[in-house]
Amino acid sequence: MWVHHAFDLNSLSGKSLGLYFWHLSLQNRPTAMLQTAQNPFFSIIVPAYNREKFIHHTLESLQSQSFEDWECVVVDDGSKDKTGEVVKALAEKDPRIRYVYQDNAERSAARNHGARKAKGQFLCFLDSDDRYLKDHLKNLHKAILDQGRQVALYFTGYCEDRNGILRQMKVAPLSQPHTEYFLDHAVI
């Protein structure tokens, strides 16, 4: 089980948690711009395939965020179980959660489909069996605003091992050339 959280950008104090978590700016809007329900600050894309037993934990971790200006696009990648029913039940109670179905085309296609449906200023990916810690989006929002410029990419580097212990992963910092290379060559 991976636990995602914003990382230290030399402007945040405390531990930063997470791994394999990307934030991509969708538009060239000022980051301090007031967001609305139609244009939330974050769009969280959750690809899902046969995750009826896990996805409610993932979505509940979003619903418990201390920062509330987000939407979640769950892309059901052709599940054969009750993933859709679980997501739809949660979406009925929380309009920030949207359910999208597609025939099975694998995770990358589901992420791309979700990205096309996203309305937020920043795009985040979260796997359907992962969770956010309570202040994840709050800390990430603060880090983005503290940067004072448009941010192209964030990558985090902590995970929770099978025993529940948080461990820092060895992650090299992304320089501008690496960021540009990633954005030019990534298949999301």
Side-chain angles (χ1 to χ4, degrees):
M1 170 74 61
W2 297 107
V3 177
H4 300 285
H5 201 69
F7 70 101
D8 190 344
L9 292 173
N10 299 323
S11 60
L12 294 177
S13 60
K15 282 192 176 176
S16 307
L17 313 169
L19 179 70
Y20 192 68
F21 187 78
W22 308 98
H23 303 276
L24 301 173
S25 176
L26 290 176
Q27 299 179 12
N28 236 353
R29 291 186 269 176
T31 53
M33 179 180 175
L34 177 64
Q35 300 298 303
T36 66
Q38 284 93 21
N39 289 30
F41 195 83
F42 294 112
S43 287
I44 298 118
I45 310 305
V46 179
Y49 179 76
N50 291 341
R51 293 297 189 177
E52 73 177 289
K53 294 180 181 177
F54 304 104
I55 196 152
H56 67 281
H57 295 296
T58 301
L59 298 178
E60 287 170 358
S61 80
L62 286 175
Q63 291 174 310
S64 69
Q65 289 297 296
S66 58
F67 183 85
E68 298 181 350
D69 191 8
W70 56 265
E71 69 166 346
C72 177
V73 180
V74 178
V75 181
D76 184 343
D77 191 31
S79 294
K80 308 268 188 246
D81 66 1
K82 296 180 181 179
T83 297
E85 292 175 32
V86 172
V87 174
K88 288 176 189 176
L90 288 168
E92 284 180 16
K93 298 174 187 171
D94 190 338
R96 296 174 298 177
I97 299 171
R98 290 191 285 142
Y99 174 79
V100 177
Y101 180 86
Q102 71 177 28
D103 290 333
N104 184 257
E106 299 298 328
R107 280 179 296 221
S108 292
R111 286 184 183 108
N112 287 335
H113 191 170
R116 285 189 296 274
K117 299 286 187 184
K119 298 176 184 175
Q121 182 176 354
F122 285 85
L123 182 62
C124 309
F125 297 104
L126 178 62
D127 288 340
S128 57
D129 60 350
D130 292 353
R131 296 177 298 214
Y132 283 163
L133 297 177
K134 183 179 185 240
D135 292 327
H136 173 71
L137 294 177
K138 176 181 140 185
N139 291 338
L140 182 60
H141 179 258
K142 181 183 182 320
I144 291 169
L145 294 181
D146 285 352
Q147 287 296 301
R149 58 182 162 77
Q150 283 293 318
V151 179
L153 171 72
Y154 285 101
F155 177 77
T156 60
Y158 283 79
C159 71
E160 180 180 7
D161 70 15
R162 293 176 194 245
N163 299 317
I165 298 170
L166 293 172
R167 304 214 183 266
Q168 184 173 13
M169 307 301 288
K170 302 246 186 237
V171 179
L174 291 173
S175 65
Q176 187 63 27
H178 289 99
T179 302
E180 290 172 6
Y181 178 85
F182 173 80
L183 292 174
D184 289 340
H185 296 89
V187 176
I188 299 172

